[in-house]
Amino acid sequence: MLLFQHPFWFSTSSPTGLSLRASVDDSPGSPLYRIESLTIDERIQRFINITNARANYLHLATVDPDSIRGLTWTQCLPCQKCFQQRLPIFDPRSSTTYALLSCDHPLCQGTDSAFECEDGRVCIYNARYAGGALTGGLASVDTFHFPADRHRIGSYPDIIYGCSHASQDIFFQNSEVSGIFGLSKQPESFISQFSASRFSYCFAPFDDALPRPLILKFGDDVPRLPPPLVRTTLFIQVPGDTHFHLELLDISVAQHRIGFPTGTFQVRPDGRGGCVIDSGALITVIDSNTPGVNAYVQVMRVFEAYYGSKGLVRIPPRQDLELCYQLPPNFKDFATLTFHFNGADYTVAGKFVNYFYPGVFCVAIIDSNVATLLGAWQQQNKRIIHDLGMGALQFSDEICNNDVG
C-alpha cells in the first residue's frame, strides 16, 4: 500500500486521468518539513526509524489484516477526540453532496468488509497503524474536488472515505495535514474507486537527503511507455494482505548474481517474508530471517568483497548502516544492485544504492526479520507504475526531475 500523508497543491487532469502534485514528508514544500535543522546523522537515523516502522506496519497487516485498510480519511466535525490541525476541520454539514454510507452497502457487510454496521443504523470504521496510532469515525460518501488548472475544478462524485471523529497518537498533528490519502488494492481505496486502475510516480533524486515534490498520476495521465523501455512483473496475491507483493527470485550486486535458493523470498507460514515495493519505506530492507540462509548477510558480503577489491577503506557503521567507506576523490565505481523479479530485472544505479556523507558513503540497506522492502531511496529516477487492472508493477529508468513541474 502506498500511503501519502501530505496535502495536494495542484493538479491537472483529463476526463479519465488525474495528476496531483504532492509534497513528500520532510520535503521543503511539506507541512511536515522538520529536518532542516537536523544533522546528516540525525536525518539518516530518522529515515531508518521510518523504514523500521514501515516494516513493523507490514507485519501488523499480516497478523491482523482487518486492522489495516487502504482507507482515505480526514477529520470531521463534530470532533470528540481529534488531534490539532492548522487548517479548519471539515464540517460535513457544509457539503450538499455529503452522505453516510448505508449499512446495506457491500463494504459494510460481512466479516471481511472494510466497515462495520453499528446498531443496524450507521456504518463506522476503525483503522489502526503501527506504533499504536488509531482513528475511527463514520464511513461517508462525498464528491472530491481537485483543481484541474487555474480556472477549472475536476469533480469526482461518490467517493467513499472516513470521517474521523476520534484519533490517538497521530504523528502529523499540529500541521496542515488532516488525514491520509490511501492507495491500496482494497475496494475502499481511492485508486479502486477512481475510473482507471493505474497510478504512477517518479522520485526525483533526493538532494541532501531531502525528498522533493512528485507528481502522482492516475488513469490516462500515466505515461504509456514503449515496450523496449518498460519492464513488467506481476503482483503476488497474499491472502489477507493488501500490500504490493512481488516475486523476488534472486539479487545481484555489481552484476554478480548471488544465486539464492528457490523460495528464499517467499512469504513464510507465519506471515513474514516476501518482497514488497513500498514508497513509505525510505531505505531498502533485506530480510535477515530467510530460510536456510541470511539474505541480508549474503548481500552485504558481496558489497564488502566488491569495495574491498577496489581498495576502499572501511570505517565504522553510521547509525544502522553497517557497511561504510571512506570516499576517495573522484571515485564513481559504485556497485549496482539488481532485484531479479519474475519476468523483470530491477537495477538500481550505483549512486542510488548508497547514502553519502562528506567524504564517506554507506550502503543504504538495513536488515529486518519481517520482509524485504524495496524502498524509496532505491526508487530514485525510476518511473513506477502500479497497474491494478493488469495486476502488475511496471518500471523504467527516467530523469524524474523532468516530471516535477
Side-chain angles (χ1 to χ4, degrees), residues 301-377:
R301 281 177 178 170
V302 180
F303 275 110
E304 185 178 10
Y306 175 83
Y307 287 120
S309 72
K310 302 295 180 181
L312 299 190
V313 177
R314 187 172 175 183
I315 62 173
R318 303 288 291 263
Q319 289 79 37
D320 290 340
L321 301 183
E322 175 185 343
L323 207 55
C324 300
Y325 294 90
Q326 292 180 3
L327 180 59
N330 302 318
F331 182 83
K332 299 185 183 302
D333 197 9
F334 301 104
T336 58
L337 174 67
T338 300
F339 288 86
H340 300 284
F341 296 119
N342 187 3
D345 288 346
Y346 182 101
T347 298
V348 183
K351 64 180 179 179
F352 297 132
V353 176
N354 307 298
Y355 186 89
F356 293 90
Y357 302 83
V360 171
F361 75 93
C362 298
V363 178
I365 297 173
I366 61 176
D367 70 320
S368 168
N369 63 2
V370 173
T372 295
L373 305 180
L374 176 54
W377 198 267

Side-chain angles (χ1 to χ4, degrees), residues 109-339:
Q109 297 182 343
T111 56
D112 294 330
S113 61
F115 312 115
E116 177 185 355
C117 185
E118 185 176 68
D119 299 330
R121 59 182 182 82
V122 63
C123 192
I124 63 171
Y125 83 94
N126 288 284
R128 179 160 57 93
Y129 302 98
L134 304 170
T135 177
L138 298 174
S140 306
V141 182
D142 212 334
T143 298
F144 278 33
H145 303 280
F146 299 104
D149 51 42
R150 293 179 181 272
H151 309 289
R152 184 169 56 90
I153 298 292
S155 298
Y156 300 86
D158 301 324
I159 299 296
I160 297 171
Y161 68 105
C163 246
S164 174
H165 295 294
S167 61
Q168 173 182 308
D169 296 333
I170 299 296
F171 81 92
F172 43 82
Q173 57 184 324
N174 296 315
S175 74
E176 285 84 359
V177 181
S178 63
I180 284 179
F181 190 71
L183 299 175
S184 78
K185 295 182 288 185
Q186 292 284 33
E188 70 271 16
S189 73
F190 180 82
I191 183 63
S192 298
Q193 298 183 66
F194 190 58
S195 58
S197 60
R198 305 173 80 230
F199 70 92
S200 170
Y201 57 88
C202 194
F203 283 120
F206 302 155
D207 297 329
D208 298 322
L210 298 179
R212 302 183 58 171
L214 78 158
I215 307 296
L216 185 60
K217 299 176 182 289
F218 298 88
D220 287 347
D221 281 15
V222 175
R224 297 283 180 177
L225 304 176
L229 299 180
V230 67
R231 291 176 172 80
T232 302
T233 183
L234 296 178
F235 293 126
I236 292 178
Q237 301 302 317
V238 176
D241 195 330
T242 63
H243 293 83
F244 293 103
H245 284 262
L246 303 171
E247 187 177 3
L248 178 60
L249 305 178
D250 206 351
I251 295 175
S252 290
V253 175
Q255 300 182 340
H256 170 78
R257 188 155 179 161
I258 295 175
F260 285 108
T262 301
T264 297
F265 298 101
Q266 288 181 351
V267 177
R268 299 187 285 274
D270 65 357
R272 298 174 183 257
C275 179
V276 172
I277 182 169
D278 183 6
S279 68
L282 295 178
I283 296 175
T284 285
V285 175
I286 294 183
D287 196 349
S288 60
N289 197 32
T290 46
V293 61
N294 186 321
Y296 169 78
V297 168
Q298 291 293 100
V299 169
M300 300 307 280
R301 281 177 178 170
V302 180
F303 275 110
E304 185 178 10
Y306 175 83
Y307 287 120
S309 72
K310 302 295 180 181
L312 299 190
V313 177
R314 187 172 175 183
I315 62 173
R318 303 288 291 263
Q319 289 79 37
D320 290 340
L321 301 183
E322 175 185 343
L323 207 55
C324 300
Y325 294 90
Q326 292 180 3
L327 180 59
N330 302 318
F331 182 83
K332 299 185 183 302
D333 197 9
F334 301 104
T336 58
L337 174 67
T338 300
F339 288 86

